[in-house]
Amino acid sequence: MELIQLSDELWVQEIDLGIFEVRGSLVLGEERALVWDSLSHPRDMEPYLPLIADRELTVVYSHADWDHIWGTAGLAQLPTTIVSHAVCAHRFRTDVPETLAKMQASEPGRWDEVQLVPPNLMMDNTCTLDLGGLTLELHHLPGHTDDCLIALLPEQGFALMGDTIETPFPVVPADSDLSGWIAQLRRWEGNAALTRIVPCHGPLGGRELISQTIDYLERLQRGDAFELPADMSPFYRETHESNLKWREGRAL
């Protein structure tokens, strides 16, 4: 676990889960603090507590995958507002508890402290949050999952991209709307106001990270051949093989 300060207002928390790493963020306004993804376990939130102090607290779920939402119960003061896309709230009634039950059964003791805390404020396309001297904009960007959000800090030039981009490439479900995903990413790739990109997986960088994801998705869509790096982790080799099922599904 590593806590890194990117600016006076933005911190990121990086967690090594063994098979991959995941990153969440803490945004500090003058009046309110915002946790972008509570990561995989309640203990992941401990480093945030002294930084949040007595600020009013909001949590945003970038989407409802387990490594982004299981830490909320670790916040000493449960947030009064938990924001997500409406599809994310639906997933808390379907696949989210099913995933927790399976992982608790397969790894006894590891996930016992996890308590699911569902969202209580749902959005559809866009939402703006005033943190006090700092604005955070939420935008729906489906593709990796139907409930994916990204968050922009326009005064700072930061974009928290969730799992909509990833290095070396994102997870692409077989039913993903790849054309819509690419079109939305093109919009943000061309936004010169974005100077720092913070994905939940993979290195930080600039808008070239968006371009790299677009390139991979377009090659997948066209049916191009891929040459994967020799040192790619087993997780991403398996992910790529799974991504190819999107192409197979379109060929049927």
Side-chain angles (χ1 to χ4, degrees):
M1 165 182 319
E2 184 177 9
L3 185 64
I4 301 170
Q5 185 175 10
L6 299 184
S7 72
D8 289 343
E9 296 83 10
L10 181 62
W11 298 71
V12 296
Q13 172 86 312
E14 298 181 350
I15 306 294
D16 186 350
L17 294 173
I19 53 175
F20 56 78
E21 296 179 351
V22 62
R23 177 185 297 112
S25 301
L26 174 66
V27 185
L28 298 175
E30 294 173 0
E31 301 171 7
R32 286 168 284 280
L34 182 139
V35 170
W36 170 258
D37 285 348
S38 60
L39 301 174
S40 66
H41 197 281
R43 63 173 168 266
D44 297 342
M45 294 293 94
E46 292 176 5
Y48 286 168
L49 298 180
L51 296 170
I52 295 170
D54 59 353
R55 292 177 176 87
E56 182 181 334
L57 181 59
T58 297
V59 169
V60 176
Y61 295 147
S62 70
H63 61 302
D65 286 358
W66 67 273
D67 51 320
H68 300 262
I69 59 172
W70 282 4
T72 307
L75 297 166
Q77 173 191 351
L78 283 179
T80 56
T81 306
I82 304 176
V83 184
S84 80
H85 191 268
V87 174
C88 177
H90 174 73
R91 291 182 62 189
F92 266 82
R93 299 188 295 271
T94 54
D95 65 287
V96 169
E98 293 173 0
T99 299
L100 178 58
K102 289 178 182 177
M103 291 180 65
Q104 286 177 332
S106 63
E107 300 179 273
R110 182 176 182 183
W111 308 109
D112 289 354
E113 297 174 56
V114 174
Q115 299 177 31
L116 298 180
V117 185
N120 53 32
L121 177 62
M122 278 64 78
M123 56 166 284
D124 288 320
N125 295 318
T126 62
C127 178
T128 299
L129 303 175
D130 181 2
L131 304 182
L134 191 65
T135 303
L136 185 135
E137 300 176 2
L138 298 174
H139 297 265
H140 186 211
L141 205 165
H144 167 67
T145 60
D146 288 342
D147 56 336
C148 274
L149 302 177
I150 66 170
L152 309 181
L153 295 168
E155 295 97 342
Q156 305 288 318
F158 281 97
L160 311 179
M161 298 294 291
D163 282 9
T164 65
I165 67 165
E166 190 166 343
T167 304
F169 41 73
V171 175
V172 180
D175 61 352
S176 178
D177 175 11
L178 221 57
S179 294
W181 188 354
I182 293 168
Q184 288 279 3
L185 288 180
R186 285 283 184 207
R187 172 188 173 193
W188 301 112
E189 179 191 35
N191 188 337
L194 303 183
T195 58
R196 194 76 183 273
I197 305 300
V198 183
C200 283
H201 306 279
L204 310 180
R207 282 177 288 136
E208 76 280 353
L209 298 181
I210 304 177
S211 303
Q212 291 167 12
T213 294
I214 291 173
D215 179 67
Y216 177 84
L217 296 178
E218 288 185 331
R219 294 180 67 192
L220 183 66
Q221 189 176 48
R222 290 194 303 263
D224 292 355
F226 288 90
E227 292 186 12
L228 302 181
D231 60 350
M232 184 169 291
S233 70
F235 172 81
Y236 282 106
R237 288 194 175 277
E238 293 174 7
T239 295
H240 178 67
E241 292 301 315
S242 178
N243 289 349
L244 293 178
K245 294 178 181 178
W246 182 94
R247 183 186 298 174
E248 295 169 2
R250 295 306 183 275
L252 296 177

Short mmCIF file of all heavy atoms in Angstrom, two decimals, residues 96-156:
data_model
loop_
_atom_site.label_atom_id
_atom_site.label_comp_id
_atom_site.label_asym_id
_atom_site.label_seq_id
_atom_site.Cartn_x
_atom_site.Cartn_y
_atom_site.Cartn_z
N VAL A 96 -22.61 -7.87 -7.44
CA VAL A 96 -21.69 -7.45 -6.37
C VAL A 96 -21.76 -8.40 -5.16
O VAL A 96 -20.71 -8.91 -4.73
CB VAL A 96 -21.96 -5.99 -5.97
CG1 VAL A 96 -21.19 -5.64 -4.70
CG2 VAL A 96 -21.54 -5.05 -7.10
N PRO A 97 -22.91 -8.66 -4.57
CA PRO A 97 -22.93 -9.60 -3.44
C PRO A 97 -22.55 -11.02 -3.85
O PRO A 97 -21.98 -11.76 -3.03
CB PRO A 97 -24.38 -9.53 -2.93
CG PRO A 97 -25.17 -8.93 -4.05
CD PRO A 97 -24.24 -8.04 -4.79
N GLU A 98 -22.85 -11.41 -5.08
CA GLU A 98 -22.47 -12.74 -5.54
C GLU A 98 -20.95 -12.87 -5.60
O GLU A 98 -20.38 -13.90 -5.19
CB GLU A 98 -23.07 -13.00 -6.92
CG GLU A 98 -24.59 -13.12 -6.92
CD GLU A 98 -25.16 -13.20 -8.32
OE1 GLU A 98 -24.36 -13.15 -9.29
OE2 GLU A 98 -26.40 -13.29 -8.46
N THR A 99 -20.27 -11.84 -6.08
CA THR A 99 -18.81 -11.86 -6.16
C THR A 99 -18.20 -11.93 -4.77
O THR A 99 -17.25 -12.69 -4.52
CB THR A 99 -18.29 -10.62 -6.91
OG1 THR A 99 -18.80 -10.62 -8.23
CG2 THR A 99 -16.76 -10.61 -6.96
N LEU A 100 -18.72 -11.13 -3.83
CA LEU A 100 -18.20 -11.16 -2.46
C LEU A 100 -18.37 -12.54 -1.85
O LEU A 100 -17.43 -13.07 -1.21
CB LEU A 100 -18.91 -10.11 -1.61
CG LEU A 100 -18.50 -10.06 -0.14
CD1 LEU A 100 -17.00 -9.81 0.02
CD2 LEU A 100 -19.30 -8.98 0.60
N ALA A 101 -19.52 -13.16 -2.00
CA ALA A 101 -19.76 -14.48 -1.43
C ALA A 101 -18.79 -15.51 -2.00
O ALA A 101 -18.24 -16.34 -1.25
CB ALA A 101 -21.20 -14.90 -1.69
N LYS A 102 -18.53 -15.45 -3.29
CA LYS A 102 -17.62 -16.40 -3.92
C LYS A 102 -16.19 -16.21 -3.41
O LYS A 102 -15.48 -17.19 -3.13
CB LYS A 102 -17.66 -16.23 -5.44
CG LYS A 102 -18.94 -16.72 -6.08
CD LYS A 102 -18.93 -16.47 -7.59
CE LYS A 102 -20.24 -16.92 -8.23
NZ LYS A 102 -20.27 -16.62 -9.69
N MET A 103 -15.75 -14.95 -3.27
CA MET A 103 -14.38 -14.70 -2.85
C MET A 103 -14.19 -14.98 -1.36
O MET A 103 -13.13 -15.43 -0.94
CB MET A 103 -13.97 -13.27 -3.22
CG MET A 103 -13.85 -13.09 -4.73
SD MET A 103 -13.36 -11.43 -5.28
CE MET A 103 -11.71 -11.32 -4.61
N GLN A 104 -15.22 -14.74 -0.56
CA GLN A 104 -15.12 -15.12 0.85
C GLN A 104 -15.05 -16.63 1.01
O GLN A 104 -14.34 -17.13 1.89
CB GLN A 104 -16.32 -14.55 1.61
CG GLN A 104 -16.26 -13.06 1.85
CD GLN A 104 -17.49 -12.51 2.54
OE1 GLN A 104 -18.59 -13.05 2.41
NE2 GLN A 104 -17.33 -11.41 3.27
N ALA A 105 -15.73 -17.36 0.15
CA ALA A 105 -15.69 -18.82 0.22
C ALA A 105 -14.36 -19.38 -0.27
O ALA A 105 -13.85 -20.36 0.29
CB ALA A 105 -16.83 -19.41 -0.60
N SER A 106 -13.78 -18.73 -1.28
CA SER A 106 -12.53 -19.25 -1.85
C SER A 106 -11.30 -18.83 -1.06
O SER A 106 -10.26 -19.51 -1.12
CB SER A 106 -12.38 -18.78 -3.31
OG SER A 106 -12.28 -17.38 -3.38
N GLU A 107 -11.38 -17.71 -0.31
CA GLU A 107 -10.25 -17.22 0.49
C GLU A 107 -10.73 -16.93 1.91
O GLU A 107 -10.85 -15.77 2.29
CB GLU A 107 -9.64 -15.98 -0.15
CG GLU A 107 -9.10 -16.19 -1.55
CD GLU A 107 -8.52 -14.93 -2.15
OE1 GLU A 107 -9.30 -14.16 -2.74
OE2 GLU A 107 -7.30 -14.70 -1.99
N PRO A 108 -10.98 -17.96 2.71
CA PRO A 108 -11.52 -17.74 4.06
C PRO A 108 -10.64 -16.81 4.89
O PRO A 108 -9.43 -16.95 4.93
CB PRO A 108 -11.53 -19.17 4.64
CG PRO A 108 -11.59 -20.07 3.46
CD PRO A 108 -10.80 -19.38 2.39
N GLY A 109 -11.29 -15.85 5.52
CA GLY A 109 -10.59 -14.91 6.39
C GLY A 109 -10.14 -13.64 5.73
O GLY A 109 -10.06 -12.58 6.37
N ARG A 110 -9.82 -13.67 4.45
CA ARG A 110 -9.24 -12.50 3.79
C ARG A 110 -10.24 -11.36 3.63
O ARG A 110 -9.87 -10.19 3.78
CB ARG A 110 -8.67 -12.89 2.42
CG ARG A 110 -8.00 -11.73 1.71
CD ARG A 110 -7.36 -12.14 0.40
NE ARG A 110 -6.69 -11.01 -0.23
CZ ARG A 110 -6.09 -11.06 -1.42
NH1 ARG A 110 -6.08 -12.20 -2.11
NH2 ARG A 110 -5.52 -9.98 -1.94
N TRP A 111 -11.50 -11.70 3.36
CA TRP A 111 -12.49 -10.66 3.05
C TRP A 111 -13.58 -10.55 4.11
O TRP A 111 -14.62 -9.94 3.87
CB TRP A 111 -13.12 -10.95 1.68
CG TRP A 111 -12.11 -11.16 0.60
CD1 TRP A 111 -11.81 -12.33 -0.02
CD2 TRP A 111 -11.23 -10.17 0.02
NE1 TRP A 111 -10.82 -12.14 -0.95
CE2 TRP A 111 -10.44 -10.83 -0.95
CE3 TRP A 111 -11.05 -8.81 0.23
CZ2 TRP A 111 -9.48 -10.17 -1.70
CZ3 TRP A 111 -10.09 -8.15 -0.52
CH2 TRP A 111 -9.33 -8.82 -1.48
N ASP A 112 -13.34 -11.10 5.30
CA ASP A 112 -14.38 -11.14 6.32
C ASP A 112 -14.83 -9.74 6.77
O ASP A 112 -15.98 -9.55 7.18
CB ASP A 112 -13.91 -11.93 7.55
CG ASP A 112 -13.81 -13.42 7.27
OD1 ASP A 112 -14.23 -13.85 6.17
OD2 ASP A 112 -13.32 -14.15 8.15
N GLU A 113 -13.93 -8.75 6.71
CA GLU A 113 -14.26 -7.41 7.19
C GLU A 113 -15.02 -6.58 6.16
O GLU A 113 -15.49 -5.49 6.48
CB GLU A 113 -12.98 -6.67 7.58
CG GLU A 113 -12.22 -7.31 8.74
CD GLU A 113 -10.90 -6.61 8.98
OE1 GLU A 113 -10.90 -5.39 9.20
OE2 GLU A 113 -9.85 -7.29 8.93
N VAL A 114 -15.13 -7.09 4.96
CA VAL A 114 -15.82 -6.33 3.92
C VAL A 114 -17.31 -6.30 4.18
O VAL A 114 -17.94 -7.33 4.40
CB VAL A 114 -15.54 -6.94 2.53
CG1 VAL A 114 -16.38 -6.23 1.46
CG2 VAL A 114 -14.06 -6.86 2.19
N GLN A 115 -17.86 -5.09 4.19
CA GLN A 115 -19.30 -4.88 4.27
C GLN A 115 -19.71 -4.01 3.09
O GLN A 115 -19.15 -2.93 2.88
CB GLN A 115 -19.68 -4.19 5.58
CG GLN A 115 -19.32 -4.97 6.83
CD GLN A 115 -19.66 -4.20 8.09
OE1 GLN A 115 -20.62 -3.42 8.12
NE2 GLN A 115 -18.89 -4.40 9.14
N LEU A 116 -20.66 -4.48 2.32
CA LEU A 116 -21.07 -3.74 1.13
C LEU A 116 -21.86 -2.50 1.53
O LEU A 116 -22.80 -2.57 2.32
CB LEU A 116 -21.92 -4.64 0.23
CG LEU A 116 -21.22 -5.88 -0.31
CD1 LEU A 116 -22.16 -6.67 -1.20
CD2 LEU A 116 -19.95 -5.52 -1.07
N VAL A 117 -21.45 -1.36 0.99
CA VAL A 117 -22.12 -0.09 1.24
C VAL A 117 -22.59 0.45 -0.11
O VAL A 117 -21.80 0.98 -0.88
CB VAL A 117 -21.20 0.93 1.93
CG1 VAL A 117 -21.98 2.20 2.29
CG2 VAL A 117 -20.55 0.32 3.18
N PRO A 118 -23.86 0.31 -0.44
CA PRO A 118 -24.34 0.69 -1.77
C PRO A 118 -24.43 2.20 -1.95
O PRO A 118 -24.49 2.96 -0.97
CB PRO A 118 -25.73 0.05 -1.83
CG PRO A 118 -26.17 -0.02 -0.41
CD PRO A 118 -24.92 -0.28 0.39
N PRO A 119 -24.45 2.64 -3.19
CA PRO A 119 -24.63 4.09 -3.44
C PRO A 119 -26.01 4.55 -3.04
O PRO A 119 -26.98 3.77 -3.02
CB PRO A 119 -24.42 4.19 -4.96
CG PRO A 119 -24.74 2.82 -5.48
CD PRO A 119 -24.31 1.86 -4.42
N ASN A 120 -26.11 5.85 -2.71
CA ASN A 120 -27.42 6.41 -2.35
C ASN A 120 -27.76 7.65 -3.17
O ASN A 120 -28.80 8.27 -2.95
CB ASN A 120 -27.49 6.73 -0.85
CG ASN A 120 -26.35 7.61 -0.37
OD1 ASN A 120 -25.85 8.45 -1.11
ND2 ASN A 120 -25.94 7.40 0.88
N LEU A 121 -26.89 8.01 -4.12
CA LEU A 121 -27.19 9.10 -5.05
C LEU A 121 -26.76 8.63 -6.43
O LEU A 121 -25.57 8.44 -6.68
CB LEU A 121 -26.46 10.38 -4.67
CG LEU A 121 -26.65 11.57 -5.63
CD1 LEU A 121 -28.12 11.98 -5.69
CD2 LEU A 121 -25.78 12.76 -5.21
N MET A 122 -27.72 8.42 -7.31
CA MET A 122 -27.44 7.89 -8.63
C MET A 122 -27.50 8.99 -9.70
O MET A 122 -28.30 9.92 -9.60
CB MET A 122 -28.43 6.77 -8.98
CG MET A 122 -28.04 5.42 -8.39
SD MET A 122 -28.05 5.40 -6.58
CE MET A 122 -29.82 5.29 -6.26
N MET A 123 -26.66 8.87 -10.71
CA MET A 123 -26.63 9.81 -11.81
C MET A 123 -26.75 9.03 -13.12
O MET A 123 -26.60 7.80 -13.15
CB MET A 123 -25.33 10.61 -11.81
CG MET A 123 -24.07 9.74 -11.85
SD MET A 123 -22.58 10.67 -12.24
CE MET A 123 -22.75 10.89 -14.01
N ASP A 124 -27.02 9.77 -14.21
CA ASP A 124 -27.10 9.14 -15.52
C ASP A 124 -25.92 9.54 -16.40
O ASP A 124 -25.03 8.75 -16.64
CB ASP A 124 -28.42 9.51 -16.20
CG ASP A 124 -29.61 8.80 -15.55
OD1 ASP A 124 -29.46 7.62 -15.19
OD2 ASP A 124 -30.67 9.43 -15.40
N ASN A 125 -25.89 10.78 -16.87
CA ASN A 125 -24.85 11.17 -17.82
C ASN A 125 -23.76 12.06 -17.23
O ASN A 125 -22.58 11.79 -17.40
CB ASN A 125 -25.49 11.87 -19.03
CG ASN A 125 -26.38 10.93 -19.82
OD1 ASN A 125 -26.02 9.78 -20.05
ND2 ASN A 125 -27.54 11.42 -20.23
N THR A 126 -24.14 13.12 -16.53
CA THR A 126 -23.16 14.03 -15.95
C THR A 126 -23.64 14.50 -14.58
O THR A 126 -24.83 14.50 -14.28
CB THR A 126 -22.92 15.27 -16.84
OG1 THR A 126 -24.14 16.01 -16.97
CG2 THR A 126 -22.41 14.86 -18.21
N CYS A 127 -22.67 14.91 -13.77
CA CYS A 127 -22.97 15.43 -12.43
C CYS A 127 -21.80 16.29 -12.00
O CYS A 127 -20.64 15.94 -12.25
CB CYS A 127 -23.18 14.26 -11.46
SG CYS A 127 -23.50 14.75 -9.75
N THR A 128 -22.07 17.44 -11.37
CA THR A 128 -21.02 18.33 -10.88
C THR A 128 -21.12 18.44 -9.37
O THR A 128 -22.20 18.69 -8.83
CB THR A 128 -21.14 19.72 -11.52
OG1 THR A 128 -21.01 19.60 -12.94
CG2 THR A 128 -20.03 20.64 -11.01
N LEU A 129 -19.98 18.26 -8.70
CA LEU A 129 -19.92 18.32 -7.24
C LEU A 129 -19.03 19.49 -6.82
O LEU A 129 -17.91 19.63 -7.31
CB LEU A 129 -19.36 17.01 -6.68
CG LEU A 129 -20.13 15.74 -7.06
CD1 LEU A 129 -19.39 14.51 -6.53
CD2 LEU A 129 -21.55 15.78 -6.54
N ASP A 130 -19.52 20.30 -5.92
CA ASP A 130 -18.77 21.44 -5.36
C ASP A 130 -18.13 20.98 -4.05
O ASP A 130 -18.82 20.70 -3.07
CB ASP A 130 -19.71 22.61 -5.12
CG ASP A 130 -18.99 23.84 -4.57
OD1 ASP A 130 -17.75 23.79 -4.39
OD2 ASP A 130 -19.68 24.84 -4.29
N LEU A 131 -16.79 20.93 -4.02
CA LEU A 131 -16.08 20.49 -2.83
C LEU A 131 -15.61 21.66 -1.97
O LEU A 131 -14.96 21.45 -0.95
CB LEU A 131 -14.89 19.62 -3.23
CG LEU A 131 -15.20 18.40 -4.10
CD1 LEU A 131 -13.93 17.60 -4.37
CD2 LEU A 131 -16.26 17.53 -3.45
N GLY A 132 -15.93 22.87 -2.39
CA GLY A 132 -15.47 24.06 -1.68
C GLY A 132 -14.14 24.52 -2.26
O GLY A 132 -13.09 24.01 -1.90
N GLY A 133 -14.20 25.49 -3.17
CA GLY A 133 -13.00 25.97 -3.84
C GLY A 133 -12.47 25.02 -4.89
O GLY A 133 -11.42 25.26 -5.48
N LEU A 134 -13.20 23.96 -5.17
CA LEU A 134 -12.76 22.93 -6.11
C LEU A 134 -13.99 22.24 -6.67
O LEU A 134 -14.89 21.85 -5.93
CB LEU A 134 -11.85 21.91 -5.39
CG LEU A 134 -11.09 20.91 -6.25
CD1 LEU A 134 -10.07 21.61 -7.13
CD2 LEU A 134 -10.40 19.89 -5.35
N THR A 135 -14.01 22.08 -7.98
CA THR A 135 -15.12 21.43 -8.66
C THR A 135 -14.69 20.06 -9.17
O THR A 135 -13.57 19.89 -9.67
CB THR A 135 -15.60 22.28 -9.86
OG1 THR A 135 -15.96 23.58 -9.39
CG2 THR A 135 -16.79 21.64 -10.56
N LEU A 136 -15.59 19.09 -9.05
CA LEU A 136 -15.35 17.78 -9.63
C LEU A 136 -16.53 17.43 -10.53
O LEU A 136 -17.69 17.49 -10.11
CB LEU A 136 -15.18 16.71 -8.54
CG LEU A 136 -14.80 15.32 -9.05
CD1 LEU A 136 -13.68 14.71 -8.21
CD2 LEU A 136 -16.02 14.39 -9.04
N GLU A 137 -16.23 17.11 -11.78
CA GLU A 137 -17.26 16.75 -12.75
C GLU A 137 -17.24 15.25 -12.99
O GLU A 137 -16.18 14.67 -13.19
CB GLU A 137 -17.01 17.46 -14.09
CG GLU A 137 -17.02 18.96 -14.04
CD GLU A 137 -16.66 19.57 -15.39
OE1 GLU A 137 -16.45 18.79 -16.35
OE2 GLU A 137 -16.58 20.80 -15.48
N LEU A 138 -18.41 14.62 -12.97
CA LEU A 138 -18.55 13.20 -13.26
C LEU A 138 -19.21 13.03 -14.62
O LEU A 138 -20.18 13.72 -14.94
CB LEU A 138 -19.39 12.51 -12.19
CG LEU A 138 -18.84 12.54 -10.76
CD1 LEU A 138 -19.87 11.93 -9.81
CD2 LEU A 138 -17.52 11.79 -10.67
N HIS A 139 -18.67 12.10 -15.41
CA HIS A 139 -19.20 11.83 -16.74
C HIS A 139 -19.31 10.32 -16.94
O HIS A 139 -18.37 9.57 -16.62
CB HIS A 139 -18.30 12.42 -17.83
CG HIS A 139 -18.18 13.92 -17.78
ND1 HIS A 139 -18.97 14.75 -18.54
CD2 HIS A 139 -17.37 14.72 -17.04
CE1 HIS A 139 -18.65 16.02 -18.29
NE2 HIS A 139 -17.68 16.03 -17.38
N HIS A 140 -20.42 9.89 -17.48
CA HIS A 140 -20.64 8.48 -17.80
C HIS A 140 -19.82 8.13 -19.04
O HIS A 140 -19.87 8.83 -20.05
CB HIS A 140 -22.13 8.25 -18.07
CG HIS A 140 -22.50 6.82 -18.26
ND1 HIS A 140 -23.54 6.44 -19.09
CD2 HIS A 140 -21.99 5.67 -17.74
CE1 HIS A 140 -23.67 5.12 -19.07
NE2 HIS A 140 -22.73 4.63 -18.26
N LEU A 141 -19.06 7.02 -18.96
CA LEU A 141 -18.27 6.58 -20.10
C LEU A 141 -18.30 5.04 -20.15
O LEU A 141 -17.36 4.38 -19.70
CB LEU A 141 -16.82 7.11 -20.02
CG LEU A 141 -16.08 7.23 -21.35
CD1 LEU A 141 -14.82 8.08 -21.19
CD2 LEU A 141 -15.72 5.89 -21.96
N PRO A 142 -19.40 4.47 -20.64
CA PRO A 142 -19.52 3.01 -20.66
C PRO A 142 -18.58 2.37 -21.67
O PRO A 142 -18.15 3.00 -22.64
CB PRO A 142 -20.98 2.79 -21.05
CG PRO A 142 -21.34 4.01 -21.85
CD PRO A 142 -20.57 5.13 -21.22
N GLY A 143 -18.26 1.11 -21.43
CA GLY A 143 -17.37 0.37 -22.32
C GLY A 143 -16.76 -0.80 -21.58
O GLY A 143 -17.08 -1.95 -21.84
N HIS A 144 -15.88 -0.49 -20.63
CA HIS A 144 -15.35 -1.54 -19.77
C HIS A 144 -16.48 -2.22 -19.01
O HIS A 144 -16.54 -3.44 -18.92
CB HIS A 144 -14.32 -0.95 -18.81
CG HIS A 144 -13.93 -1.86 -17.69
ND1 HIS A 144 -13.23 -3.02 -17.90
CD2 HIS A 144 -14.17 -1.79 -16.36
CE1 HIS A 144 -13.05 -3.63 -16.74
NE2 HIS A 144 -13.62 -2.91 -15.79
N THR A 145 -17.36 -1.42 -18.43
CA THR A 145 -18.64 -1.88 -17.91
C THR A 145 -19.67 -0.80 -18.23
O THR A 145 -19.31 0.34 -18.54
CB THR A 145 -18.61 -2.10 -16.38
OG1 THR A 145 -18.26 -0.87 -15.73
CG2 THR A 145 -17.60 -3.18 -15.99
N ASP A 146 -20.94 -1.15 -18.13
CA ASP A 146 -21.99 -0.18 -18.47
C ASP A 146 -22.09 0.96 -17.46
O ASP A 146 -22.69 1.99 -17.77
CB ASP A 146 -23.35 -0.88 -18.56
CG ASP A 146 -23.47 -1.76 -19.78
OD1 ASP A 146 -22.68 -1.58 -20.73
OD2 ASP A 146 -24.36 -2.64 -19.79
N ASP A 147 -21.53 0.78 -16.25
CA ASP A 147 -21.68 1.79 -15.20
C ASP A 147 -20.45 2.67 -15.03
O ASP A 147 -20.37 3.45 -14.08
CB ASP A 147 -22.04 1.13 -13.87
CG ASP A 147 -21.05 0.06 -13.42
OD1 ASP A 147 -20.36 -0.51 -14.28
OD2 ASP A 147 -20.98 -0.23 -12.21
N CYS A 148 -19.48 2.59 -15.93
CA CYS A 148 -18.21 3.31 -15.74
C CYS A 148 -18.39 4.83 -15.77
O CYS A 148 -19.07 5.39 -16.64
CB CYS A 148 -17.21 2.92 -16.82
SG CYS A 148 -16.27 1.43 -16.42
N LEU A 149 -17.72 5.49 -14.82
CA LEU A 149 -17.64 6.94 -14.76
C LEU A 149 -16.19 7.38 -14.87
O LEU A 149 -15.27 6.62 -14.54
CB LEU A 149 -18.20 7.46 -13.43
CG LEU A 149 -19.64 7.12 -13.05
CD1 LEU A 149 -19.95 7.68 -11.66
CD2 LEU A 149 -20.62 7.65 -14.07
N ILE A 150 -16.00 8.63 -15.30
CA ILE A 150 -14.71 9.31 -15.14
C ILE A 150 -14.97 10.59 -14.38
O ILE A 150 -16.11 11.09 -14.33
CB ILE A 150 -14.02 9.61 -16.49
CG1 ILE A 150 -14.83 10.62 -17.31
CG2 ILE A 150 -13.80 8.33 -17.28
CD1 ILE A 150 -14.07 11.13 -18.53
N ALA A 151 -13.92 11.12 -13.73
CA ALA A 151 -14.04 12.35 -12.94
C ALA A 151 -13.00 13.35 -13.41
O ALA A 151 -11.84 13.00 -13.61
CB ALA A 151 -13.86 12.06 -11.46
N LEU A 152 -13.42 14.59 -13.59
CA LEU A 152 -12.52 15.66 -14.01
C LEU A 152 -12.41 16.71 -12.92
O LEU A 152 -13.40 17.06 -12.27
CB LEU A 152 -13.04 16.33 -15.29
CG LEU A 152 -13.41 15.43 -16.46
CD1 LEU A 152 -13.88 16.28 -17.64
CD2 LEU A 152 -12.25 14.55 -16.87
N LEU A 153 -11.19 17.20 -12.72
CA LEU A 153 -10.93 18.36 -11.86
C LEU A 153 -10.50 19.49 -12.78
O LEU A 153 -9.31 19.67 -13.06
CB LEU A 153 -9.83 18.03 -10.85
CG LEU A 153 -10.18 16.94 -9.83
CD1 LEU A 153 -8.93 16.48 -9.08
CD2 LEU A 153 -11.23 17.46 -8.85
N PRO A 154 -11.45 20.26 -13.31
CA PRO A 154 -11.12 21.22 -14.37
C PRO A 154 -10.14 22.29 -13.96
O PRO A 154 -9.32 22.75 -14.77
CB PRO A 154 -12.48 21.81 -14.74
CG PRO A 154 -13.38 21.50 -13.60
CD PRO A 154 -12.89 20.23 -13.01
N GLU A 155 -10.18 22.70 -12.68
CA GLU A 155 -9.22 23.73 -12.24
C GLU A 155 -7.80 23.19 -12.18
O GLU A 155 -6.84 23.97 -12.22
CB GLU A 155 -9.62 24.27 -10.86
CG GLU A 155 -10.96 25.01 -10.82
CD GLU A 155 -12.10 24.10 -10.35
OE1 GLU A 155 -11.92 22.88 -10.38
OE2 GLU A 155 -13.14 24.65 -9.96
N GLN A 156 -7.67 21.88 -12.06
CA GLN A 156 -6.36 21.26 -11.89
C GLN A 156 -5.83 20.62 -13.18
O GLN A 156 -4.64 20.35 -13.29
CB GLN A 156 -6.44 20.17 -10.82
CG GLN A 156 -6.98 20.65 -9.48
CD GLN A 156 -5.99 21.52 -8.76
OE1 GLN A 156 -4.80 21.22 -8.74
NE2 GLN A 156 -6.46 22.60 -8.16
#
